Amino acid sequence: MLSLLALCVLGGSMVGLLSGMLGVGGAFIIIPLLDEILLRLGMDPAVSHLMAVGTSPSTVLFTCVASFMAHRRLGSMRDDILRRMCPGIFVGGVLGAFLAPLAPTAFLKLLFYGIIVVVCGQMAFPMKRFGREKEDLRHLTGISIFFGMLASMSGVAGTFLNVTYLSWRGVPWTQAVCTGAGIGLIIAVTATTGYIWSGWGVPGLPEWSLGYVYLPGTLCLIIPSMLMARFGAWLIHWKKMPVDLMKRVVASCLVAFALIMIGRTLWELF
């Protein structure tokens, strides 16, 4: 049990650091970590991944609060983008929280790891911004609904998805990371509420759960993640920090991990 607790603390610290520094919401680490811990505690594999997905937004919620407040103080938040994306994010987040329990576990896993490959691939090898220097922020309402639903179903808080998209559409990376923290906070609140609601009264869930949210997992991860998120936010504004190199290294490691897990999931499926 102590080893599992230490693993949670270490994972939470890494989540906070990457969230504040690179805009990674933390689900890429939290979901595999919680899935493995819940399996070791004897939970049904069909339930453990859904519980990990449902718990992830509640953990990222506190990380996003810390990251959001830190970036707000540093002055790089784009309120105009937040106002345009909030309504769609809310609608998509609620839809995703109610659709996820109806989907097969293998589908949720492949969706999660597929998102890692796509987003981290873009992070490591950025696409061109349509050959123009100015921002192109059309269709934000439609894309925000899609991102909200996709993030909620996969357990990804949406920070990484939105940071990548905004950067691709011409928003400077620092502004995209800071604004993504606000978008991730909205998704985390919506998804957490939705997973509590959709899992309320479902039989067979472990003790100390609120719907599909596993409270012990949340509590063991939030404190180190909140502390390290502030440090990560400070690092991204440090001029000597090689942000581009850090992005490529982290993204490459996550892509390799995701490809391994996709192969493992397909092997178990077939």
Side-chain angles (χ1 to χ4, degrees), residues 5-17 26 29-30 33 220-221 224-225:
L5 179 61
L7 194 59
C8 280
V9 173
L10 179 61
S13 300
M14 184 62 68
V15 165
L17 181 64
I29 299 173
I30 290 172
L33 178 64
C220 288
L221 288 163
S225 66

Side-chain angles (χ1 to χ4, degrees), residues 167-179:
S167 177
W168 180 47
R169 299 307 292 260
V171 178
W173 178 257
T174 301
Q175 292 183 11
V177 170
C178 296
T179 307

Side-chain angles (χ1 to χ4, degrees), residues 27-260:
F28 296 160
I29 299 173
I30 290 172
I31 291 180
L33 178 64
L34 283 178
D35 197 0
E36 183 64 26
I37 289 174
L38 291 172
L39 285 173
R40 291 192 181 189
L41 291 175
M43 190 175 297
D44 186 342
V47 179
S48 65
H49 185 76
L50 183 57
M51 291 292 297
V53 171
T55 304
S56 174
S58 69
T59 305
V60 177
L61 168 62
F62 294 94
T63 306
C64 287
V65 168
S67 183
F68 174 80
M69 293 176 65
H71 285 307
R72 170 71 72 175
R73 285 194 298 269
L74 292 168
S76 298
M77 193 72 63
R78 289 287 298 273
D79 291 332
D80 57 323
I81 296 177
L82 282 177
R83 285 193 296 268
R84 291 178 61 184
M85 297 189 72
C86 277
I89 291 293
F90 175 81
V91 173
V94 172
L95 287 174
F98 279 88
L99 289 174
L102 304 177
T105 302
F107 171 79
L108 295 178
K109 288 185 177 182
L110 291 174
L111 176 64
F112 172 67
Y113 293 119
I115 288 175
I116 295 180
V117 171
V118 172
V119 175
C120 291
Q122 157 63 16
M123 189 176 182
F125 307 100
M127 292 183 289
K128 294 182 179 180
R129 299 175 180 176
F130 304 114
R132 62 181 75 175
E133 293 296 328
K134 65 179 182 179
E135 297 177 0
D136 184 358
L137 298 178
R138 294 172 293 176
H139 315 301
L140 279 184
T141 300
I143 201 68
S144 63
I145 294 175
F146 175 70
F147 279 167
M149 183 172 64
L150 192 64
S152 185
M153 287 192 70
S154 64
V156 179
T159 306
F160 208 5
L161 290 171
N162 285 281
V163 167
T164 304
Y165 178 77
L166 292 175
S167 177
W168 180 47
R169 299 307 292 260
V171 178
W173 178 257
T174 301
Q175 292 183 11
V177 170
C178 296
T179 307
I183 296 171
L185 176 59
I186 298 166
I187 294 177
V189 171
T190 305
T192 299
T193 305
Y195 276 108
I196 292 174
W197 188 5
S198 64
W200 195 265
V202 174
L205 298 182
E207 295 182 352
W208 304 103
S209 298
L210 284 177
Y212 291 115
V213 177
Y214 187 55
L215 294 179
T218 301
L219 295 175
C220 288
L221 288 163
I222 58 174
I223 296 177
S225 66
M226 289 180 67
L227 293 175
M228 292 302 292
R230 294 191 176 191
F231 180 60
W234 176 80
L235 281 177
I236 195 177
H237 288 84
W238 184 36
K239 294 182 179 180
K240 294 183 179 180
M241 173 57 62
V243 177
D244 290 338
L245 177 61
M246 288 294 297
K247 286 196 301 182
R248 290 180 181 274
V249 170
V250 172
S252 299
C253 291
L254 288 173
V255 167
F257 168 73
L259 289 174
I260 292 173

